[in-house]
Amino acid sequence: MFVGLAIILAGYFVYSRYLAKKVYRLSATHRTPAHEFKDGVDYIPTNKFVLWGHHFTSVAGAAPIVGPAVAIIWGWGPAFLWVTLGTVFFAGMHDLGALWASARNKGQSIGTLSGRYIGPRGRNLFLAIMFLLLVMVNAVFAVVISGLLVSQPSAVIPTWGAIVVALLIGQAIYKLRWNLAVVSIAGVVALYGLILLGDRFPIVLPETIMGLSASAFWIIVLFIYAGIASLMPVWMLLQPRDYINGLQLFIGLGLLYAAILLSAPTMVAPMINQNTPPDTPGIVPLLFVTIACGAISGFHGMVSSGTSSKQLDKETDARFVGYFGAVGEGLLALVTLLVVSAGFQTLADWEEVYHAFNEGGAGAFVAAGGTVLSNGLAIPESLSATVLATMAVLFAATTMDTSVRLQRYIISEIGELMGLKLKPLIATVLVLLFGLGLAFGADPSGEGGMIIWPLFGTTNQLLAALTLSIITVILVRKRRPFLPVLLPLMFVLVMSVSALVVQLGTFYGQGNWLLLGMGIVILIAAIWVIIEAAVTLNRVRNQPPEPEDEDVAVAAQAGADGR
């Protein structure tokens, strides 16, 4: 625990300073898109702590819990190294870079930036990959949330009550102008009051509702809510919801780390598992796509360039929002590894849960984490499970909120390329139809989200590699140091492409034609984008350096003055 914390925090206090000063060269005087295009809906200059809460909880979701809690099947040692080193040298650099690149280009999404820096063909392919990933994010997270609401009915009241708390916080901050510290304390107290209430009065749905299973019913309700939330101004619900959830997560993390420190539980999981179940794939390259969020994630680049860049008050805030947002996710992934390694009584108990690949996940985190909290802090196991289930649900829900909003942007952008101008409501309806179609189309019971989990992780990492390729091109054009981006890009690209090839063979053997077809499309598009980026990179190396934004502004002003 101490070694992991030291590595991750050193990344923020040391390595992120180098990136901010030498690579991205953040400027406090640069006018951000939030000020340039301020509209009170999407472009809003935001306090960096509030924006960090939005960004962190949007990118965190359930993935840094599910991924590590599945990858532990290979042993905690490899997962520990990937989470800690990945957070420092991959995730933080990627998230900060995407946020900087978008803020320097009028808040444009990474997909739009691909059109500017590698051409329209690359942009179209990039948008296709982003679209498919967002469909998977929405389906996967809806299934994870519904499963937790069914298995932990005590989380129902705090999950939906948090929406009311967020709406009140939004009004208090932006309309009533209340002190942020007072609002934060009141919001946290209200949220934990709801957790106590939910633990006292769990809400168990009947087995069937209007002909639907309880899980299927929750999935539909979640999509309807996410659609409505995505159409509301960010200050009204999305921002305050993410902010208060961010505070709640750090409290939850503090409780878990404190419980581990006080109880010093035994690591019953092996450091390297020599007795993996027969169906477990090879650790290389699958480890590096099973743990995506918590080490590096392409979805983070979409959030950085899709919503966070439009709310950045000062460019220098990007280091705290982007890199420290990745640090928060790394801390969540690290504590997940700790509790699923040490939250079981014996190795036999651990092996009973991890009897097959893709087992464990959020359920193992809640159960094992509840045991750790109970042993370390004497919190009743029922309440501990409620706290952790609520934490997992709220972060998955905030990610789903942001994902639906981002996919609406992508669909609108694709529509514009086809000569269609889609209204936000129409684009949102299409988002919901695609997400529900995948969740129920892959499995009529509504479990399609977990069926596509392997492909989700691979696509997520491929998108991270593509995002890094755009950042590399930008840095080369500006004659900035680019090796801190290029080297991680090459590693992630090799691992994600290798993993996708392995998975395509598995899908073919299983006769899973849906995932096989989606995987082939993603592989072809990704390789094509990388080729386009490589060609562009080779060309721009021999071109004059791109002038800095400040130089362009000075030249424009000189021309206006007739000088």
Side-chain angles (χ1 to χ4, degrees), residues 207-267:
E207 290 188 10
T208 58
I209 304 172
M210 297 180 290
L212 298 170
S213 67
S215 294
F217 174 79
W218 280 130
I219 289 171
I220 293 174
V221 171
L222 285 163
F223 269 104
I224 293 173
Y225 156 73
I228 295 172
S230 73
L231 292 169
M232 299 172 67
V234 291
W235 67 266
M236 189 175 292
L237 177 58
L238 187 65
Q239 233 187 44
R241 177 175 165 84
D242 291 354
Y243 173 65
I244 199 64
N245 285 345
L247 294 177
Q248 189 256 150
L249 174 61
F250 256 69
I251 292 173
L253 286 176
L255 292 174
L256 284 170
Y257 280 114
I260 292 169
L261 180 64
L262 293 174
S263 64
T266 302
M267 299 280 279

Side-chain angles (χ1 to χ4, degrees), residues 402-422:
T402 302
S403 178
V404 169
R405 183 181 290 263
L406 289 172
Q407 193 169 18
R408 169 163 64 83
Y409 296 157
I410 297 298
I411 287 181
S412 298
E413 194 167 343
I414 293 173
E416 289 177 4
L417 294 175
M418 299 171 61
L420 301 173
K421 189 168 181 61
L422 299 175

